[in-house]
Amino acid sequence: MKPWSFFLWYLCSVVSATFMEDAFVRDWLKPLVGSVEKFDILSPLSIVAWTDLSQLVKLNVEENNTHVDWRVDLSQKPIVDYKLSPNNQFLVSYDSNGDVDLWETSTGSLIQHHKNAGLVEKNPGFLYETGIITLSGGDLVLLLNNGDRKLIAPGVKDFRFCQQTDLAYIVTNHGDVFTVSADGSTISPSTVGGHDIKYLEIIDMKDGVIATTSEFIKLESETTIAHSFHEKVGLLSNGYFYTAIGSKLEIVKIGSDVPVFTHSFEEDIKNVETKDSVAAFVAVYTATDVHIVVLNDLLITGVSDAVNIQTHSLNKAVKSTISCNDHIWFVEAHTTSPTAIRLASSSQDYTDDKTIILDHYSGRSFLLVDKPQSEGSKILFHSVLNAGDQFVLTSWLLRIKRHLSELGAYLSSFATHSVSPATSETFSRESQFGLGKLLAFYDTQINSVIALESESGKVSWTTSLQRGFGDLITAIDSNDVLYFVFESGVVKFDLNGKILKEETLPLVRSAFKVNGNVFVRFANSKNVKVLELSKDSSQPINYLVEAGKQSITGFEVKDEHLMQTWSHIPKGRIITSLSMPSYHQSASAGIARSDKTILYKYLNRNLVAVLTEVKNQLVLELLDGITGSQVFIQKHDVANIDYTTISLTMADNWIVYSYYVSEPYWEQRITVVDLFDENHSAVAQSAFNSTSAIQASSKTFIYSERIVSLTSTYSKHGITLKSIIALTANGRAVELPKFILNSRRIDDREIKQNDLLDDFRMLAYDPVIPKVGAQVLNHVDKILVTRDTKVLVKDTELESTSVVCVANDFNIFCSTIQPSLSYDVLSSKFDKFKLLVTMAILLVAYLITKPFVASKKLNSQWIEDDI
Amino acid sequence: MSELKPYNNTDTCTIEKKFRDGAFYTREPHPHTTLLVSRNSLRESTDSMLSFTVLLYLLSVAVAGSVYGRFTGLPETSRGIAPGRNGLNFQSRILIQLEGSTKSEAIPVDKKFKFRALGLDPGLYQLSIDSYDFELKNSKWQIEVSNEDETAAVEHATGKPLNVTSRAIISAENPLEVKVVGTTQYYEDLEGGLSKMLQDSPFGFIFRNRTYTTIFVVCLITMALPYVLLFVNPELAEQINQKQPPAKYVVKEEVEVLSKPQPQQRPPSQVSQRGASQSSLPAPRVPAQGSKRRA
């Protein structure tokens, strides 16, 4: 290798290292499964669990990597219990509706679904691999297999069963023996060899042999062999049985008197369990230990030489199992906390000890807030922002200084192999441009406030509350302070999770933020308390609008008291209402049309939208929040709206709402209303002397999926486009650009050149909004959506980008969105590798061609000389 | 005596020692059994009621309308589908909603991508299917359950009128076929970017035509071979070089001829490049000569 190639290699490594810094994916989904109610151990590496959130999950524990292998959401079903099949391959769950489901444990796929199979009375059993035999519907023995259900026997209180290759035998509590084949066909009760079977005397059934207290009954040959072991007997495969008397275990062939294997343990045998398939063994439980007697060879050859005994000490407090793959493992598991399971496994040669920790938050009142900024980064950011105001040379020098300091910080971090918090902060683009946020919420289970980092999902801080203030009412963030308002108090946090103030209050009804002032409203009175006063005193009067079920009321906040200013009682029931979000900025007052006129937007920061239901009409009313006057009304004559699915969002000069109708067809509709002001005056107006004349345009669109909630995005200055995030029933967070949901799309004529110039990305009206995979923010990670799922949006210092989080009990998802694409930030799709390859190729081409050029020049000189 | 709890089932790999309930493989009565006894003793007295229950129970499946369906055209392997949070359990990521005037229910999809809804009252229903991973040819049907319990399905694309010609009777033997036409692409395609870049370049015509590509590659190999050979097998390269004496000889001769008469003329190319300002050069005569000739 030549020195220059070393240099090139070094250059490449440095360049790639710099670029990789921000080359990580900026979205993540954290599945929350809840706390474990019941669990079973499948292997030393995995367990299946049933959680309090009605999730059936398989958890995998590998080296330092605990993850949810699969989960099945059964929150719609009141599950009673589940049972694992003997070979661990299947799992049957049954609920109080009488539904029985069979799942495959390796994938979590549904194998069989039996609806209305009757209330399961006895823990089900497995026959023929996937057949479920159950006592349900009162007194019926049913075989559920391949989607069919077969009645085996009615009027049964209890039964036992076993399988011998392709025939199964079922003995009912009446002593009747039913022979059942795999398709469920039953040969009705028979007696064996002419004598009755006493059900209560049966000890064991296996491979077509019944062991009673006095004899072995071979069902196929209908023969009986008497024995004298009474109840201390159990059956093994290949015609063997074991007896455990005192501390002695014997393994004997049925019909023989001589044991093939005998072993005496130090203590008395309490319990014996057995299994045979991959590895056959008898597990002997004594008071303190479990002895695993491996019988693989013995049961096949009848020679006792190869019998091997493993001993493990037994802990009664934990759940244990014997599992086999390459080795025979003894696995112990116990829940150390509701969200953690410790799994200790040991075989003859190895031991292992792992803990599964489940992500679990019972979050309420999620807030998406800025990360706390250090003073240094604030100054730095300020200098970047104000660079334009300074003299060109000064700002250039400052820029050079900043870049050099960043390079120095990076190089020093490179040299020490550790990124100190200070250097990482100045160096990370996330902190500089506010791309990293904190998702703060109150966890009801542990009475704490938790903040997660929006880029990674890691816990930033957890602060537990020392005192309880009752139920959480709401959470508000204002000026880098978080207020968690409870029924009887308020707790104030800073962005580092430090409690600034705890205050006990009389019974609180609600809390709200008006003009940057934070108020708490008390129940049973019209008194309010100021939690925070805004430094900006340009808005001296604070107005509040409150919506009830029947009416909407406007208040003025005066001297910690609410004075009612107006009240509006719509004709019908109020479904939902929303006031214009104060943090949304509108950068443009209108749309410049092709003929150089301006279509002014109706921008009213005090607008309140109310959706009401009047007979078979859905009515949208827009009110002015200060005067209470009705500014706009729109009615839909639609029958059979599903009123539970209505969602409403508004920003700028538009209102978008979605509803699901069942007539004439079942479909999801989205209605868009854009408001324009025909009589726009250049002078600032107050709500009391407004001259605006509203001209509204409205269009309804159809979406192919059911929408649960709508949220509008926003950016710092409101310059970039807005999108509407629709959360759908099947777990997609779809980003629908506002220019698609445009009420001015042409539907009654051909689209003209002027129309295209009038509006941004004007399209002809098509009611159906196409489904586009790339618009799904959560990509392949499906979000489990509930009706109260919140979509949170927060602006960043970069105008192009906003942070979006979706949070509920089942999952937390965070990502960033760029409705106007990434014009001010390098896209995550930007192919650095390709750029580097191109640069490298060009460099190589340059180096290769350089001698050629030199020789060509030389040649041309010589040729010239010759002429 | 009752401490022995033999385990009845075959093909098991695990023995479980349970502390919560030992039902099913223990001899102790199930916690529910006592309750059952009293209930059953009542039932036994009324045999007619029992048989009625059984009859009703078994008939409940046969009567009333039912929807059977299955997915067809599924990709053979999981290739091209990014596994989601549930691994390759795509069935769990399919949401089937059957909505009717009286009831609406979610229908689960089993491992074989089959689904069914039983016990539907006569009337109109809408079946909407949404798969998180697959693109479907049609995702909505109107289901008509007649009074004779015959079930028919009519395709009904979103925002379009009913496709009446698609009406088909569905049954367990002829289930509704949900055609999968592809997998949903949630990520913009990054693969093939390099080849696309090459094809869009000025030399793209070479790569767009197979023959040109072949010729180009052959030429490239022919050009590169002597150099590669020098590294791989220097002896062979030497041999080949020796087998081409005329060319070598000519080159040698040329060099000799050219270098003999004017050995001091090597600098001109450098000099002419750098211009006249570099006066410190050993042969100022030569650039003067060159410039003179050019003039």
Side-chain angles (χ1 to χ4, degrees):
Chain A
M1 288 270 267
K2 288 181 177 156
W4 64 265
S5 62
F6 270 112
F7 176 71
L8 194 72
W9 170 81
Y10 174 74
L11 207 68
C12 283
S13 73
V14 169
V15 169
S16 68
T18 315
F19 276 107
M20 290 307 276
E21 185 96 288
D22 42 28
F24 61 92
V25 183
R26 241 185 249 103
D27 59 73
W28 52 269
L29 185 136
K30 193 178 268 212
L32 308 177
V33 292
S35 54
V36 173
E37 298 252 300
K38 179 185 172 180
F39 69 94
D40 277 294
I41 308 153
L42 293 178
S43 75
L45 286 178
S46 62
I47 62 162
V48 281
W50 169 249
T51 71
D52 64 342
L53 288 177
S54 298
Q55 311 277 296
L56 202 54
V57 289
K58 186 182 170 200
L59 305 162
N60 220 349
V61 210
E62 278 151 28
E63 285 288 318
N64 306 322
N65 179 19
T66 301
H67 66 273
V68 176
D69 218 14
W70 53 258
R71 70 164 161 174
V72 179
D73 175 38
L74 298 170
S75 50
Q76 305 301 317
K77 294 181 167 197
I79 291 285
V80 175
D81 203 356
Y82 77 86
K83 181 163 162 46
L84 211 56
S85 80
N87 57 8
N88 283 354
Q89 281 177 15
F90 303 99
L91 186 149
V92 63
S93 71
Y94 48 99
D95 64 26
S96 55
N97 293 340
D99 290 3
V100 178
D101 293 316
L102 183 74
W103 311 90
E104 193 179 57
T105 46
S106 58
T107 60
S109 308
L110 180 70
I111 304 291
Q112 289 175 33
H113 171 64
H114 298 275
K115 213 171 159 56
N116 300 324
L119 201 62
V120 174
E121 307 271 358
K122 175 184 159 125
N123 229 336
F126 291 83
L127 270 188
Y128 302 114
E129 188 94 314
T130 59
I132 306 159
I133 185 148
T134 163
L135 186 70
S136 69
D139 52 4
L140 311 172
V141 178
L142 294 178
L143 178 67
L144 311 170
N145 202 2
N146 299 326
D148 294 330
R149 78 182 72 146
K150 288 277 163 60
L151 179 71
I152 308 293
V156 176
K157 290 170 199 162
D158 200 4
F159 68 91
R160 279 171 171 271
F161 68 98
C162 71
Q163 191 183 337
Q164 186 182 22
T165 56
D166 51 355
L167 273 185
Y169 300 97
I170 291 161
V171 184
T172 68
N173 60 319
H174 305 303
D176 301 328
V177 179
F178 293 83
T179 313
V180 184
S181 57
D183 62 358
S185 56
T186 309
I187 301 162
S188 299
S190 57
T191 49
V192 181
H195 72 269
D196 291 332
I197 297 169
K198 290 190 180 75
Y199 185 75
L200 290 176
E201 287 180 3
I202 298 174
I203 299 163
D204 198 358
M205 261 181 94
K206 190 185 198 101
D207 293 356
V209 180
I210 299 176
T212 68
T213 48
S214 58
E215 59 192 3
F216 297 111
I217 305 165
K218 290 187 172 175
L219 292 166
E220 202 177 29
S221 56
E222 301 196 357
T223 52
T224 58
I225 297 157
H227 69 79
S228 56
F229 301 106
H230 304 290
E231 291 188 354
K232 303 259 180 189
V233 70
L235 294 166
L236 296 167
S237 56
N238 290 353
Y240 286 90
F241 69 96
Y242 65 82
T243 67
I245 298 164
S247 63
K248 198 167 80 177
L249 178 81
E250 283 184 1
I251 288 162
V252 195
K253 184 116 185 162
I254 295 172
S256 156
D257 294 332
V258 188
V260 288
F261 173 78
T262 310
H263 187 87
S264 287
F265 296 98
E266 286 168 7
E267 292 174 275
D268 276 4
I269 296 167
K270 297 277 179 198
N271 191 13
V272 181
E273 285 176 352
T274 145
K275 73 114 229 153
D276 54 357
S277 64
V278 184
F281 57 80
V282 172
V284 178
Y285 290 89
T286 62
T288 55
D289 291 315
V290 55
H291 308 275
I292 304 167
V293 185
V294 184
L295 300 172
N296 279 350
D297 298 332
L298 184 132
L299 293 184
I300 296 159
T301 60
V303 181
S304 62
D305 299 353
V307 173
N308 168 5
I309 300 176
Q310 290 180 27
T311 302
H312 304 278
S313 61
L314 193 63
N315 183 354
K316 290 258 176 189
V318 305
K319 195 179 249 189
S320 62
T321 194
I322 295 155
S323 171
C324 52
N325 40 32
D326 302 344
H327 302 272
I328 290 180
W329 296 86
F330 177 67
V331 191
E332 286 183 325
H334 64 291
T335 48
T336 50
S337 82
T339 56
I341 298 172
R342 189 162 158 225
L343 210 62
S345 45
S346 47
S347 74
Q348 211 158 18
D349 320 322
Y350 309 101
T351 54
D352 205 351
D353 196 335
K354 287 165 286 200
T355 305
I356 301 173
I357 295 166
L358 302 173
D359 279 323
H360 177 53
Y361 308 112
S362 314
R364 296 287 172 276
S365 287
F366 291 89
L367 287 176
L368 197 57
V369 293
D370 289 317
K371 270 189 177 176
Q373 279 186 320
S374 71
E375 283 305 311
S377 64
K378 267 183 198 165
I379 293 163
L380 179 75
F381 184 69
H382 198 71
S383 71
V384 175
L385 261 193
N386 297 341
D389 305 342
Q390 289 156 341
F391 182 57
V392 185
L393 202 65
T394 352
S395 61
W396 178 75
L397 280 172
L398 280 171
R399 199 158 61 234
I400 294 280
K401 189 186 149 207
R402 183 164 60 86
H403 289 177
L404 281 174
S405 69
E406 275 180 18
L407 184 69
Y410 173 70
L411 286 178
S412 65
S413 78
F414 198 66
T416 55
H417 288 283
S418 67
V419 184
S420 67
T423 55
S424 74
E425 193 174 355
T426 46
F427 213 74
S428 143
R429 197 178 62 167
E430 267 55 43
S431 62
Q432 262 188 37
F433 298 112
L435 294 183
K437 302 287 173 197
L438 290 179
L439 182 69
F441 56 89
Y442 173 69
D443 191 319
T444 53
Q445 255 186 4
I446 53 172
N447 190 30
S448 303
V449 173
I450 300 173
L452 306 180
E453 289 183 17
S454 78
E455 317 104 292
S456 60
K458 284 186 193 128
V459 177
S460 179
W461 48 263
T462 304
T463 307
S464 59
L465 304 179
Q466 301 304 316
R467 292 157 57 192
F469 290 103
D471 287 346
L472 184 77
I473 305 255
T474 186
I476 291 174
D477 74 289
S478 176
N479 292 331
D480 297 348
V481 178
L482 310 176
Y483 297 92
F484 283 86
V485 182
F486 297 86
E487 268 180 341
S488 59
V490 61
V491 186
K492 218 169 127 178
F493 289 87
D494 72 358
L495 293 177
N496 290 311
K498 210 177 98 192
I499 296 177
L500 298 176
K501 198 178 176 189
E502 279 180 303
E503 200 175 345
T504 312
L505 298 172
L507 197 59
V508 176
R509 177 165 153 176
S510 61
F512 51 91
K513 185 177 164 185
V514 185
N515 298 330
N517 307 313
V518 183
F519 298 99
V520 187
R521 179 170 179 191
F522 300 112
N524 313 323
S525 78
K526 283 192 175 170
N527 288 339
V528 292
K529 182 184 162 62
V530 183
L531 292 181
E532 183 185 307
L533 265 184
S534 167
K535 284 162 198 147
D536 174 26
S537 56
S538 63
Q539 301 269 2
I541 313 168
N542 297 309
Y543 293 99
L544 169 72
V545 178
E546 228 176 41
K549 284 230 158 44
Q550 301 295 333
S551 68
I552 298 190
T553 320
F555 296 101
E556 188 190 325
V557 186
K558 214 170 200 179
D559 305 329
E560 304 213 327
H561 189 75
L562 289 179
M563 278 175 48
Q564 186 176 329
T565 49
W566 57 268
S567 178
H568 174 74
I569 301 169
K571 278 183 188 154
R573 185 175 63 95
I574 295 171
I575 303 160
T576 184
S577 63
L578 185 73
S579 54
M580 187 65 87
S582 57
Y583 43 82
H584 279 231
Q585 300 286 332
S586 307
S588 72
I591 301 168
R593 283 186 287 206
S594 57
D595 58 1
K596 291 184 180 166
T597 56
I598 293 171
L599 184 61
Y600 284 102
K601 293 175 180 173
Y602 177 76
L603 297 169
N604 184 347
R605 299 191 66 84
N606 305 310
L607 208 61
V608 178
V610 188
L611 274 173
T612 56
E613 170 205 1
V614 184
K615 285 175 191 161
N616 274 336
Q617 279 187 328
L618 180 67
V619 182
L620 170 74
E621 280 184 76
L622 298 179
L623 309 171
D624 186 288
I626 292 176
T627 60
S629 59
Q630 193 184 65
V631 293
F632 179 73
I633 188 157
Q634 174 168 293
K635 293 176 184 173
H636 298 267
D637 280 320
V638 270
N640 290 330
I641 292 181
D642 182 354
Y643 288 102
T644 57
T645 64
I646 291 179
S647 182
L648 172 72
T649 186
M650 68 199 286
D652 227 17
N653 67 325
W654 47 260
I655 296 104
V656 178
Y657 52 100
S658 64
Y659 48 97
Y660 196 79
V661 294
S662 58
E663 270 178 34
Y665 307 118
W666 282 269
E667 62 191 14
Q668 176 66 53
R669 295 189 186 166
I670 305 172
T671 298
V672 185
V673 182
D674 285 290
L675 303 171
F676 297 99
D677 192 352
E678 276 190 324
N679 196 6
H680 181 80
S681 85
V683 197
Q685 292 176 322
S686 109
F688 298 101
N689 59 5
S690 168
T691 56
S692 300
I694 289 181
Q695 180 208 359
S697 66
S698 176
K699 284 264 177 336
T700 298
F701 298 88
I702 299 169
Y703 196 66
S704 53
E705 241 193 294
R706 204 184 249 259
I707 291 171
V708 177
S709 87
L710 291 176
T711 311
S712 163
T713 67
Y714 69 99
S715 56
K716 192 174 168 72
H717 301 288
I719 299 166
T720 47
L721 296 176
K722 288 194 171 66
S723 285
I724 288 128
I725 297 169
L727 201 62
T728 68
N730 201 17
R732 295 184 180 94
V734 190
E735 184 193 341
L736 300 169
K738 177 64 182 62
F739 62 79
I740 285 182
L741 295 172
N742 183 358
S743 67
R744 283 159 47 74
R745 284 171 68 173
I746 311 289
D747 59 344
D748 50 353
R749 57 182 168 83
E750 286 252 318
I751 196 159
K752 290 183 202 147
Q753 187 62 31
N754 277 358
D755 298 323
L756 296 172
L757 293 170
D758 272 358
D759 259 291
F760 179 73
R761 293 213 190 169
M762 175 58 106
L763 301 158
Y765 175 65
D766 177 9
V768 180
I769 299 170
K771 265 169 98 169
V772 184
Q775 282 176 349
V776 178
L777 296 175
N778 49 319
H779 305 297
V780 292
D781 286 330
K782 181 179 161 165
I783 300 172
L784 268 179
V785 177
T786 55
R787 275 195 55 208
D788 58 347
T789 305
K790 280 257 163 31
V791 179
L792 304 155
V793 182
K794 181 81 183 160
D795 58 336
T796 65
E797 298 296 342
L798 289 173
E799 180 61 21
S800 67
T801 313
S802 304
V803 178
V804 177
C805 287
V806 180
N808 60 21
D809 277 350
F810 299 102
N811 29 228
I812 298 176
F813 164 78
C814 281
S815 181
T816 55
I817 50 155
Q818 297 177 324
S820 294
L821 305 180
S822 57
Y823 64 87
D824 57 359
V825 64
L826 207 57
S827 154
S828 59
K829 289 171 207 134
F830 185 81
D831 202 334
K832 283 133 201 163
F833 179 73
K834 214 184 281 172
L835 183 76
L836 287 176
V837 167
T838 316
M839 278 163 65
I841 289 171
L842 288 175
L843 192 70
V844 168
Y846 166 71
L847 290 173
I848 289 172
T849 51
K850 210 182 166 189
F852 289 112
V853 172
S855 68
K856 200 179 173 187
K857 273 187 181 160
L858 182 67
N859 284 348
S860 69
Q861 281 293 337
W862 279 108
I863 290 159
E864 273 178 24
D865 284 352
D866 286 350
I867 297 165
Chain B
M1 300 280 250
S2 62
E3 284 141 6
L4 278 181
K5 292 178 185 173
Y7 191 56
N8 286 355
N9 227 327
T10 51
D11 54 324
T12 146
C13 187
T14 307
I15 298 178
E16 291 146 286
K17 184 167 164 47
K18 298 206 172 182
F19 296 93
R20 273 177 69 155
D21 60 357
F24 178 54
Y25 51 82
T26 62
R27 297 201 299 109
E28 287 124 26
H30 190 271
H32 293 273
T33 319
T34 43
L35 204 144
L36 263 172
V37 171
S38 57
R39 208 194 294 168
N40 288 340
S41 56
L42 272 174
R43 285 252 174 100
E44 271 165 15
S45 62
T46 52
D47 265 1
S48 58
M49 199 177 150
L50 170 80
S51 53
F52 176 72
T53 319
V54 175
L55 198 73
L56 195 79
Y57 184 77
L58 292 175
L59 282 178
S60 68
V61 183
V63 207
S66 45
V67 176
Y68 293 87
R70 66 189 177 107
F71 285 72
T72 58
L74 288 151
E76 282 289 308
T77 56
S78 58
R79 213 153 52 89
I81 317 168
R85 185 59 62 185
N86 254 6
L88 296 174
N89 184 3
F90 304 120
Q91 298 88 348
S92 70
R93 290 146 66 89
I94 296 172
L95 182 72
I96 302 183
Q97 205 79 31
L98 187 72
E99 287 158 307
S101 50
T102 50
K103 68 168 177 179
S104 80
E105 58 174 320
I107 307 171
V109 184
D110 72 11
K111 203 192 174 195
K112 293 172 183 160
F113 286 93
K114 287 183 182 166
F115 59 92
R116 58 178 189 173
L118 308 173
L120 303 176
D121 297 331
L124 287 183
Y125 296 85
Q126 178 180 266
L127 184 75
S128 31
I129 301 177
D130 181 72
S131 166
Y132 203 89
D133 304 281
F134 305 118
E135 296 282 357
L136 307 177
K137 194 172 175 228
N138 182 48
S139 61
K140 273 184 183 153
W141 282 265
Q142 178 169 297
I143 303 291
E144 302 162 6
V145 180
S146 71
N147 289 325
E148 289 78 42
D149 300 319
E150 193 182 63
T151 312
V154 189
E155 282 185 16
H156 185 204
T158 308
K160 290 192 178 124
L162 281 173
N163 181 359
V164 186
T165 51
S166 68
R167 191 175 191 278
I169 304 292
I170 51 171
S171 60
E173 291 76 36
N174 293 312
L176 177 73
E177 290 206 349
V178 182
K179 290 194 182 81
V180 174
V181 289
T183 53
T184 313
Q185 293 301 318
Y186 287 109
Y187 296 95
E188 276 165 38
D189 194 16
L190 284 174
E191 281 176 29
L194 199 70
S195 66
K196 207 182 161 199
M197 195 174 77
L198 270 179
Q199 289 192 355
D200 292 343
S201 70
F203 298 106
F205 70 94
I206 296 170
F207 302 103
R208 269 178 241 138
N209 189 314
R210 191 177 287 265
T211 324
Y212 286 159
T213 316
T214 320
I215 294 167
F216 176 75
V217 170
V218 168
C219 288
L220 211 67
I221 290 170
T222 322
M223 279 163 72
L225 205 63
Y227 299 100
V228 176
L229 211 61
L230 270 177
F231 288 98
V232 177
N233 196 342
E235 288 169 18
L236 188 69
E238 188 68 22
Q239 274 180 17
I240 291 169
N241 270 347
Q242 280 171 1
K243 276 180 189 169
Q244 297 172 319
K248 212 176 177 183
Y249 181 69
V250 169
V251 171
K252 227 178 190 175
E253 208 175 42
E254 256 179 36
V255 170
E256 274 174 2
V257 168
L258 289 172
S259 56
K260 257 179 193 172
Q262 284 175 316
Q264 73 273 46
Q265 280 229 345
R266 198 162 279 190
S269 64
Q270 288 174 8
V271 176
S272 62
Q273 242 178 347
R274 287 172 193 178
S277 63
Q278 301 209 341
S279 54
S280 62
L281 277 164
R285 186 179 57 88
V286 179
Q289 204 179 24
S291 57
K292 216 185 271 171
R293 283 190 183 187
R294 242 173 238 154

